[in-house]
Amino acid sequence: MTENDALEALREATATIRGYIYQFDASILAVLAATSGQEVTVEGVEDFDVLSNETDTYGQVKYYEAQKLTDSTLRDAIVPMIEGFLRYPAVDRNRKRYILYGHFKQAPEDVPAILLGDLQRILIQRPYKVDDATGEKARTVVNLQTKLGASDQDLVAFCNQFTVELSEPFDQHRLRVIAELRTALGVTKIEAESFSYPSALSAMAGLSSARAKLDRTTTRKAFLQQIRPKMALYSAWALRMEGEIAYCRKIRELHFARLNIDSHDRFFVISLPDTDGIEELHSLVQHIISRWSSHKINSKPDRERYAPIFFLPDLDPPVLAQLKLRLVGDSHKISDGYAFNGAPFTTEHLMLAQTRQYPVSARFVMDHDQFNAALAASKRGRLIIQLHTGEPHSIDPAIQQITVPINAASMAKKII
């Protein structure tokens, strides 16, 4: 592959990602606009379906930065819609609505209503056909109305139910989503930008990837509860869209540069890729201890001391034991809830106070039960920081969380 080919492939990949995120943003707006009697299904009949007892609205999203709004682009969107419309009995068609929602490089400021004549023109294709004998190409005419088996009356009925809704370019569209989230959640502009929007994007990506239709369906109330400001969730889409350097800088500045680390117990839930071994994990844990433990600050009063609590859910027990052995070899004092070999796990031993005489560097739990017990035993504010390479672990959403996708331990170090 040449350098030009590689650059072109990168541009195409970026455009594809922006298209997906634009669709997520459009679906977020559809959810926020839903009434109490409506449900929204993403990746249903169309990209988003707004469903109620009275009317079902099916929205298809298109984002074309370099393509004009033409009969051809309209045809690509409209034909599947007409096919779906014709499958319904005539008595049900009046409660179906169809929207083509999106942005195009060039389009009229206000798209007029599509009438029968317009739709019939759009449904005419003129592809080239190669003559088998001469090899010459010639234009042919294909009438998709005939292929669809749609009468003029069918098309008139569809026109009455179909609209085109033009929206803003990518960045302006995202700003509108952020503004709507700010209003819906009653948060500040910086909260909406830094917390609510990443959470909404992550939630919408999760809905879109669910297999069952029921799991791809939500309501405005349920969606807002899921993304309420207590949780800051980032999806892999944010990493792909912004690039690793900008992504790490943004999350570090938002969540880790100016935290008050005295008043909270911080729980680090870490899942690394298989390509990272004990060396990378050891280095990351050492880095976190150096930043998030007060064990070397002699002047700090005992009541203000802090040490990170680690939960490594994908780590085999022998590797966890090897990690702890290395940390002890580095002169760290650690607690893991066991007073001696053979003793039962207790949160009293896990949460042994860090003092100048016994400067606990870090605490470790082995499984979900111990993790939940540690959360319950914490007497101060709690913050869970998840660094993961796939799906984050399910944790009580009532607890403040920052959930960040990473691709390597080295990337996690850049963030925290």
Side-chain angles (χ1 to χ4, degrees):
M1 178 183 289
T2 66
E3 183 177 350
N4 287 337
D5 290 338
L7 289 173
E8 181 62 29
L10 180 60
R11 281 193 291 268
E12 291 179 1
T14 301
T16 299
I17 292 168
R18 286 166 71 87
Y20 276 121
I21 294 174
Y22 202 91
Q23 180 180 325
F24 290 162
D25 285 349
S27 299
I28 292 169
L29 289 174
V31 173
L32 295 180
T35 66
S36 59
Q38 293 176 325
E39 293 182 336
V40 179
T41 299
V42 294
E43 298 296 348
V45 173
E46 293 292 345
D47 295 324
F48 63 83
D49 307 338
V50 183
L51 310 173
S52 70
N53 291 331
E54 294 78 27
T55 305
D56 294 336
T57 301
Y58 305 115
Q60 186 175 147
V61 182
K62 297 291 185 184
Y63 184 69
Y64 290 134
E65 288 183 330
Q67 195 167 331
K68 299 177 181 179
L69 180 61
T70 63
D71 285 354
S72 177
T73 53
L74 282 171
R75 185 187 308 120
D76 291 342
I78 286 176
V79 168
M81 290 181 173
I82 296 176
E83 290 175 333
F85 181 74
L86 293 176
R87 283 194 288 267
Y88 293 108
V91 69
D92 291 335
R93 292 177 184 175
N94 284 338
R95 59 181 301 273
K96 305 297 179 181
R97 301 286 187 271
Y98 295 84
I99 296 174
L100 173 60
Y101 177 101
H103 175 76
F104 300 84
K105 177 184 178 182
Q106 185 176 328
E109 186 171 338
D110 294 307
V111 178
I114 305 294
L115 303 178
L116 175 62
D118 303 314
L119 186 53
Q120 288 177 323
R121 184 190 70 247
I122 291 167
L123 292 178
I124 297 296
Q125 283 183 316
R126 291 181 172 82
Y128 281 107
K129 185 176 181 180
V130 178
D131 187 290
D132 292 337
T134 65
E136 294 182 353
K137 292 194 300 183
R139 288 279 192 183
T140 60
V141 176
V142 177
N143 189 330
L144 293 179
Q145 179 181 353
T146 302
K147 293 188 70 173
L148 290 168
S151 67
D152 288 357
Q153 185 178 0
D154 290 332
L155 294 188
V156 169
F158 178 80
C159 289
N160 291 336
Q161 309 298 93
F162 173 74
T163 55
V164 177
E165 184 177 338
L166 297 180
S167 53
E168 306 92 332
F170 185 90
D171 291 331
Q172 294 177 31
H173 190 249
R174 180 165 56 168
L175 289 176
R176 177 153 68 95
V177 176
I178 291 170
E180 292 291 339
L181 287 168
R182 179 182 178 186
T183 300
L185 292 166
V187 297
T188 65
K189 183 173 182 290
I190 187 65
E191 286 175 321
E193 291 174 344
S194 304
F195 298 92
S196 305
Y197 177 69
S199 296
L201 191 66
S202 178
M204 188 54 64
L207 284 169
S208 300
S209 62
R211 290 188 177 184
K213 179 181 177 182
L214 181 63
D215 295 331
R216 298 196 307 277
T217 301
T218 190
T219 64
R220 184 179 189 272
K221 180 179 180 180
F223 190 78
L224 290 176
Q225 286 178 339
Q226 185 177 355
I227 65 170
R228 64 190 182 281
K230 209 166 184 59
M231 299 175 68
L233 301 175
Y234 292 82
S235 74
W237 290 105
L239 170 57
R240 295 188 185 106
M241 178 176 65
E242 299 183 27
E244 181 176 323
I245 294 175
Y247 175 85
C248 292
R249 182 190 306 117
K250 177 179 180 180
I251 295 176
R252 182 177 64 251
E253 291 176 352
L254 286 173
H255 298 298
F256 301 106
R258 292 176 294 276
L259 279 177
N260 175 7
I261 57 180
D262 291 352
S263 60
H264 283 71
D265 284 328
R266 282 180 169 74
F267 295 78
F268 287 85
V269 183
I270 302 174
S271 298
L272 296 181
D274 293 339
T275 50
D276 280 348
I278 186 65
E279 296 293 341
E280 290 78 12
L281 176 59
H282 179 218
S283 177
L284 173 59
V285 170
Q286 283 274 42
H287 175 79
I288 294 172
I289 290 173
S290 69
R291 292 289 311 279
W292 302 100
S293 177
S294 61
H295 64 290
K296 289 187 176 181
I297 308 176
N298 292 329
S299 60
K300 185 170 287 294
D302 289 349
R303 66 180 181 277
E304 296 178 4
R305 290 180 170 274
Y306 50 87
I309 303 167
F310 290 95
F311 177 35
L312 310 170
D314 299 329
L315 203 64
D316 292 333
V319 183
L320 177 59
Q322 185 181 356
L323 172 65
K324 290 190 284 188
L325 183 61
R326 287 188 175 212
L327 294 172
V328 171
D330 296 330
S331 300
H332 287 296
K333 288 182 170 56
I334 62 174
S335 64
D336 60 4
Y338 296 94
F340 53 88
N341 186 24
F345 171 85
T346 65
T347 54
E348 289 78 12
H349 191 273
L350 176 71
M351 307 300 280
L352 282 174
Q354 182 194 92
T355 64
R356 279 194 298 174
Q357 291 72 32
Y358 194 79
V360 175
S361 300
R363 313 179 197 280
F364 287 84
V365 296
M366 290 188 60
D367 54 36
H368 283 87
D369 289 341
Q370 291 185 6
F371 178 69
N372 290 330
L375 286 171
S378 173
K379 303 302 182 185
R380 302 191 293 181
R382 298 169 296 178
L383 173 62
I384 298 171
I385 300 166
Q386 287 209 60
L387 304 167
H388 64 91
T389 56
E391 290 295 321
H393 288 270
S394 178
I395 295 172
D396 183 357
I399 302 173
Q400 186 180 3
Q401 299 177 42
I402 303 171
T403 304
V404 181
I406 58 171
N407 56 32
S410 57
M411 180 177 170
K413 290 169 67 175
K414 294 175 187 176
I415 293 173
I416 57 175

